[in-house]
Amino acid sequence: MTVQISNSGLSRRSFMKWSGVAGGTTALVATAAHLGMPGTAPAYAADGMEGVDSTVWNACTVNCGSRCPLRLQVKDGVVVRVLPDNTGDDADFGNHNILACIRGRTMRQRIYSPDRLKKPMRRVAGTKRGEGEFEEISWETAFDEIAERMKSTIDNYGNDALYINNGTGTTGGNILHRRLLWRFMDAAGGSLQPLRNYSNAAYIVAGTYQHGASIGTNSTEDAANSNLLVMFGANLIETRMSGGGEMYSYQHLKETHGTRIIVIDPRYSETALTIADEWVPIRPGTDTALVAALVNVMVKEGLQDQEFLDKYCVGFDEDTLPDSAEENSSYRAYVEGKGPDGIEKTPEWASDITGIPASRIRALAREIGSTKPCAISSGWGMQRQAAGENQSRAVFTLAAVTGNIGISGGGNGAWPTSYAMPVPNFPDLDKPITVGIPVFKWSDAVDHGEEFTAEKDGVEGAERLVNPIKFMINYAGQCIMNQHADPARITEILQDENKLETLVVIDTHLTPTAKMADYLLPDAMSIEQPDLIKNENSAETGYAIYAQPAIQPPGDAMRVYDMCTEILERVNPEFAQKFTEGKTQEQWVSSLYEQARDDMPELPSEEEFKELGVIRQRNPDGFTIPMKEFRDDPEANPLKTPSGKIEIYSERLAEMSKTWVFPEGLAGQKVTAVPEHIDAWEGALEARESGEFPLQCINHHTKGRTHSTYWEQPWSKEAHPQKVWINPADAEKRGITMDDPVRVKGNRGALDSKAFVTPRIAPGVISVPQGAWYTPNDEGIDEGACASTLASLVSSNIAKGNTQQSIIANIKKLG
């Protein structure tokens, strides 16, 4: 059935321009059980428009990157129905319906979850962090005590002992909330800075050294101009599976252009299943070896783009090495076996490491090397490894060797770029403190931050830290317990109150991280407050959503903007004025949108935008082709590397390799000037040689949740139950069949789950869907099956990023 949203006061031209034609929709009707409320839910019309008090535009803002619009229907102050966008036209690609996926469509269950936080609370005196013993307190008490602890930390240690823990979801597409807590800290004199993020830390650093910055590859839609698309570990069909993500673009690409697609991944992902012509299963952490063998074949058969390498790159050949480099330290020397290790990187050599037959490696090299243009891209899972930086750099190098950089239909080997509407974010303040640590190192900075140095721990802005972290705020994230690593060890660190003195958690639900709090502050959900939300992951169509409160927050829940204001008023009223600039949250939203209209006068008025709910804009420049200007004229448009070129050999990394310090006793802890393959700790080699833990264990995203968000929803659990993927050959050896209860054990912990026996995962590899909530029993076994239970706190070699894909383990049947 076709439904027309209200457009009173809008001209037909304005409405059609920004919203498109109304689309069809299927309503999901609320029941009393779904709402967690007594009584019987009233019957509402199937078209989703009758029998309600209002229909309000807002969005699902979890950290998948899509930010899909939702129409929330309200009756008597209760959200009774969640409807998707109805303003697009599926016949017109780029103006398609921005349909929310199963996650966003279960928003009601998240709103009315029994885990929802409604009162400010304080940990009960005498109990330990993590025991979940809290007492209700007033907001006045919470603000007074938190402000006093914050002032005490500043007085006793300095502002550099304050820290904001990395958050996700709400700090993603929400314009106001994206940098809100950092602005809060900067208004109070600053804090220790978090560097990069949990998603792609090694990838960012790899791009910085190779390309001068973390530059994305050509947009998804530009692959329509490709004759071949090669994806290393990218699974955007599943992680971005809504109308607001790249899934729609890839499906459109396949349906309309038939571009040949090869997916290289340890798991036969939804992307491989849905759009790929071929799946190449590979052992985790061995993409560097595969790329070296591919290049070896290309060089032998003259398939490399030598003209491109000579003109635009440093260090592929000996002739383009910097003067400081030693003989035979080029990447070509490495793959030809002329480097220090003396091993030629043949397909046979790579086959033993990767598990891919040598004949397939040769065929793949010939296909990639002879097909122009060829779009090469990489996902982020492959770089969450001990040597993750080299994983990304290797794929970047393959794109350079084939000469596909800076051209339509090609790519530089990175993550696809997308167009975003130029709507400004809540502005940052000047940063009084510029010293920072990698986000994954926060737990070490709590435990022994006074020992942190630049060359050992990746400190930036100073040679070393002065203080450990003493006061921390975690906002809208699970990057303390659930999405970090080794939660058993994190519990030990946080329960020592001589280390971290204050932990404030601001969230909407009682998560495993929330249970660690000293002060637990209930935030309003995004659907309960105003904001501007923009999408940044839908290829060449950018859009923005005017989010309006659909209902009041439950109980005493409060908007975080108001919490920050109240705390700063108590620390120093001047800080609060600096933070708010005298504006309410509503006034900031209006102000930021008016700034956008100053730059784009054709945007509708704010009142029109409120009624439209969502506005779209196609990229006015057409397809995004990063590094095109560099390719067109490298002299006039140099990269931000020291040489101004693509540095396959990095002189900076060569120098770092001489001075950086690594933990003892772990394999593969080193920095290399070219993207060598490194047999790192808990990698493919160690798994095959280990008697106790012979399997590599990775983790993958699942359709039922985004990281740990939506984990508690009954519908999500029913549709996508937590199960460990295992290859039939590995299952047979262990007597495991489908749905058997199993225990996965590694070097740091163990979890219980059920088995999913499938040929869709490479032999020797198991995969635990990530994001399940950490739920240890009395024996320390995680009954929630959180993948991070098995992960190490040892960071990657250069970025000091998280390494959740570097795990060796074993699995056995229970009972």
Side-chain angles (χ1 to χ4, degrees):
M1 175 175 287
T2 299
V3 177
Q4 181 73 51
I5 66 169
S6 171
N7 64 326
S8 58
L10 296 176
S11 68
R12 180 171 177 80
R13 179 202 61 79
S14 176
F15 180 76
M16 295 295 289
K17 175 180 179 182
W18 290 108
S19 290
V21 180
T25 182
T26 301
L28 293 179
V29 181
T31 68
H34 294 151
L35 297 175
M37 300 171 63
T40 302
Y44 298 106
D47 64 7
M49 298 303 292
E50 299 177 13
V52 296
D53 298 330
S54 61
T55 301
V56 181
W57 282 98
N58 208 285
C60 173
T61 60
V62 296
N63 195 37
C64 68
S66 296
R67 330 298 180 200
C68 293
L70 299 174
R71 293 180 298 132
L72 304 169
Q73 296 203 303
V74 180
K75 178 70 174 180
D76 299 329
V78 174
V79 175
V80 296
R81 190 181 292 111
V82 177
L83 300 175
D85 172 40
N86 68 341
T87 63
D89 176 7
D90 281 341
D92 178 16
F93 179 74
N95 190 42
H96 54 276
N97 289 112
I98 310 167
L99 298 178
C101 72
I102 183 176
R103 299 186 282 254
R105 297 301 297 277
T106 63
M107 179 63 77
R108 279 199 323 280
Q109 291 190 343
R110 188 162 184 243
I111 297 169
Y112 300 108
S113 167
D115 290 313
R116 189 75 196 272
L117 298 173
K118 301 176 182 179
K119 301 281 186 180
M121 294 184 285
R122 176 178 58 203
R123 178 166 55 89
V124 173
T127 64
K128 293 182 178 181
R129 289 175 180 147
E131 292 180 347
E133 296 291 331
F134 295 98
E135 58 185 356
E136 292 183 10
I137 57 176
S138 69
W139 277 114
E140 290 297 312
T141 299
F143 295 145
D144 288 345
E145 293 186 5
I146 292 170
E148 186 57 39
R149 285 184 174 229
M150 190 170 173
K151 287 191 290 185
S152 176
T153 301
I154 295 171
D155 291 342
N156 292 331
Y157 304 102
N159 279 74
D160 59 346
L162 306 175
Y163 187 74
I164 299 292
N165 186 264
N166 191 64
T168 57
T170 299
T171 56
N174 303 49
I175 302 303
L176 188 74
H177 292 83
R178 176 174 297 220
R179 302 289 298 175
L180 188 146
L181 263 293
W182 282 272
R183 182 182 171 97
F184 162 83
M185 281 295 193
D186 290 338
S191 61
L192 182 66
Q193 296 297 302
L195 302 175
R196 297 173 287 277
N197 58 58
Y198 280 75
S199 293
N200 56 4
Y203 164 92
I204 291 173
V205 167
T208 300
Y209 284 103
Q210 189 128 344
H211 296 147
S214 182
I215 303 171
T217 192
N218 298 28
S219 65
T220 304
E221 292 177 34
D222 180 61
N225 299 309
S226 305
N227 288 315
L228 177 65
L229 171 57
V230 182
M231 305 171 72
F232 283 80
N235 184 25
L236 294 170
I237 289 289
E238 194 161 14
T239 58
R240 304 284 175 79
M241 66 179 188
S242 67
E246 286 90 346
M247 178 186 76
Y248 198 98
S249 298
Y250 278 118
Q251 290 178 328
H252 179 75
L253 166 72
K254 194 64 179 177
E255 290 169 1
T256 58
H257 298 282
T259 304
R260 176 167 163 76
I261 299 175
I262 299 173
V263 171
I264 302 169
D265 197 306
R267 193 175 68 97
Y268 191 45
S269 66
E270 296 297 315
T271 300
L273 175 69
T274 306
I275 63 170
D277 297 278
E278 185 172 358
W279 170 47
V280 180
I282 186 173
R283 291 179 182 139
T286 65
D287 301 81
T288 45
L290 173 61
V291 170
L294 295 175
V295 174
N296 178 280
V297 174
M298 290 177 187
V299 169
K300 283 185 175 180
E301 300 184 7
L303 297 175
Q304 80 275 25
D305 190 330
Q306 195 63 47
E307 182 179 351
F308 181 89
L309 292 166
D310 291 342
K311 183 176 181 179
Y312 298 98
C313 301
V314 170
F316 177 77
D317 295 283
E318 296 292 299
D319 292 344
T320 59
L321 282 171
D323 293 339
S324 64
E326 297 180 3
E327 185 179 1
N328 290 323
S329 58
S330 67
Y331 188 71
R332 182 168 183 165
Y334 167 72
V335 301
E336 290 181 330
K338 299 175 182 177
D341 66 5
I343 300 172
E344 184 180 0
K345 310 308 180 294
T346 64
E348 287 74 19
W349 166 85
S351 178
D352 183 58
I353 295 169
T354 65
I356 304 171
S359 59
R360 182 67 198 99
I361 294 174
R362 282 192 172 84
L364 194 61
R366 290 163 182 159
E367 183 173 9
I368 295 173
S370 61
T371 305
K372 294 289 183 71
C374 175
I376 298 171
S377 65
S378 58
W380 293 340
M382 61 176 286
Q383 52 86 59
R384 297 186 198 116
Q385 297 272 351
E389 298 83 4
N390 279 21
Q391 290 275 106
S392 291
R393 289 180 65 211
V395 182
F396 301 164
T397 298
L398 181 63
V401 170
T402 57
N404 282 293
I405 296 176
I407 61 172
S408 181
N412 58 24
W415 179 275
T417 56
S418 296
Y419 175 72
M421 291 185 66
V423 179
N425 295 322
F426 193 29
D428 285 336
L429 297 171
D430 291 339
K431 294 203 168 297
I433 294 176
T434 57
V435 177
I437 61 168
V439 294
F440 186 60
K441 297 286 285 183
W442 71 263
S443 54
D444 286 342
V446 168
D447 188 57
H448 52 271
E450 67 278 4
E451 301 174 10
F452 264 40
T453 68
E455 294 179 342
K456 179 170 65 70
D457 304 286
V459 175
E460 294 185 15
E463 286 299 314
R464 63 185 311 113
L465 293 187
V466 175
N467 294 298
I469 296 170
K470 291 294 183 179
F471 179 105
M472 183 162 65
I473 296 178
N474 176 274
Y475 170 55
Q478 277 253 57
C479 294
I480 285 184
M481 294 301 295
N482 222 78
Q483 304 306 111
H484 193 58
D486 199 352
R489 173 59 183 148
I490 295 301
T491 300
E492 293 178 3
I493 293 172
L494 293 182
Q495 287 184 342
D496 184 350
E497 295 181 46
N498 292 318
K499 294 177 180 177
L500 184 69
E501 296 178 355
T502 304
L503 174 56
V504 179
V505 173
I506 304 171
D507 214 322
T508 57
H509 292 73
L510 186 61
T511 66
T513 290
K515 291 179 181 178
M516 301 299 295
D518 298 317
Y519 293 89
L520 186 50
L521 307 184
D523 191 15
M525 287 179 62
S526 60
I527 58 96
E528 296 158 351
Q529 53 187 313
D531 210 336
L532 296 175
I533 298 166
K534 65 179 177 181
N535 172 272
E536 298 175 348
N537 298 101
S538 190
E540 302 296 2
T541 299
Y543 63 83
I545 304 160
Y546 200 112
Q548 300 179 69
I551 56 175
Q552 291 297 313
D556 290 336
M558 181 184 290
R559 300 186 302 193
V560 68
Y561 180 89
D562 297 326
M563 296 182 207
C564 290
T565 304
E566 292 288 346
I567 294 171
L568 289 175
E569 280 284 356
R570 288 159 172 78
V571 176
N572 186 328
E574 292 182 4
F575 295 166
Q577 175 60 31
K578 191 173 184 180
F579 173 73
T580 66
E581 297 183 21
K583 297 176 184 176
T584 64
Q585 181 167 329
E586 288 80 3
Q587 288 170 334
W588 269 111
V589 171
S590 295
S591 174
L592 291 170
Y593 184 64
E594 287 307 311
Q595 288 181 45
R597 293 193 72 211
D598 289 342
D599 295 331
M600 298 176 62
E602 67 272 22
L603 288 175
S605 70
E606 185 177 4
E607 290 305 311
E608 288 176 324
F609 189 8
K610 287 180 180 179
E611 292 193 39
L612 293 168
V614 57
I615 55 178
R616 297 169 172 80
Q617 184 187 52
R618 291 289 285 173
N619 184 351
D621 297 326
F623 295 138
T624 302
I625 306 174
M627 301 175 71
K628 182 179 184 303
E629 293 80 7
F630 167 70
R631 176 144 192 172
D632 291 343
D633 190 341
E635 295 296 327
N637 303 288
L639 300 179
K640 294 181 180 180
T641 57
S643 65
K645 296 183 177 182
I646 298 167
E647 297 194 348
I648 297 174
Y649 176 99
S650 170
E651 195 170 20
R652 291 178 292 172
L653 291 177
E655 289 301 311
M656 286 167 55
S657 70
K658 302 172 185 176
T659 60
W660 275 39
V661 180
F662 295 100
E664 296 181 1
L666 290 176
Q669 294 271 287
K670 61 180 179 179
V671 177
T672 63
V674 298
E676 300 176 12
H677 172 67
I678 297 175
D679 287 318
W681 53 271
E682 299 204 21
L685 180 62
E686 188 173 347
R688 281 180 289 164
E689 293 182 349
S690 172
E692 186 177 5
F693 303 124
L695 301 173
Q696 287 184 271
C697 179
I698 60 173
N699 52 84
H700 65 272
H701 294 275
T702 173
K703 293 186 285 293
R705 57 183 177 263
T706 298
H707 301 305
S708 66
T709 306
Y710 289 119
W711 176 88
E712 74 278 24
Q713 265 71 296
W715 288 349
S716 297
K717 286 185 175 181
E718 180 182 358
H720 305 286
Q722 183 77 353
K723 296 182 181 181
V724 181
W725 287 41
I726 181 171
N727 186 274
D730 296 316
E732 184 178 8
K733 291 177 184 178
R734 293 161 176 82
I736 295 172
T737 59
M738 184 70 80
D739 287 331
D740 279 346
V742 294
R743 176 164 294 168
V744 181
K745 188 177 186 300
N747 277 315
R748 286 156 294 280
L751 59 85
D752 287 350
S753 188
K754 288 187 176 182
F756 181 66
V757 181
T758 174
R760 290 179 57 185
I761 192 161
V765 184
I766 58 175
S767 186
V768 180
Q770 64 100 281
W773 285 13
Y774 176 61
T775 314
N777 61 22
D778 292 340
E779 298 176 355
I781 306 298
D782 177 20
E783 296 178 341
C786 174
S788 297
T789 300
L790 308 170
S792 174
L793 288 171
V794 179
S795 56
S796 67
N797 290 353
I798 306 172
K800 307 302 179 185
N802 42 311
T803 55
Q804 279 97 335
Q805 308 290 10
S806 288
I807 298 171
I808 57 173
N810 206 348
I811 182 172
K812 70 175 183 178
K813 181 178 178 179
L814 292 176

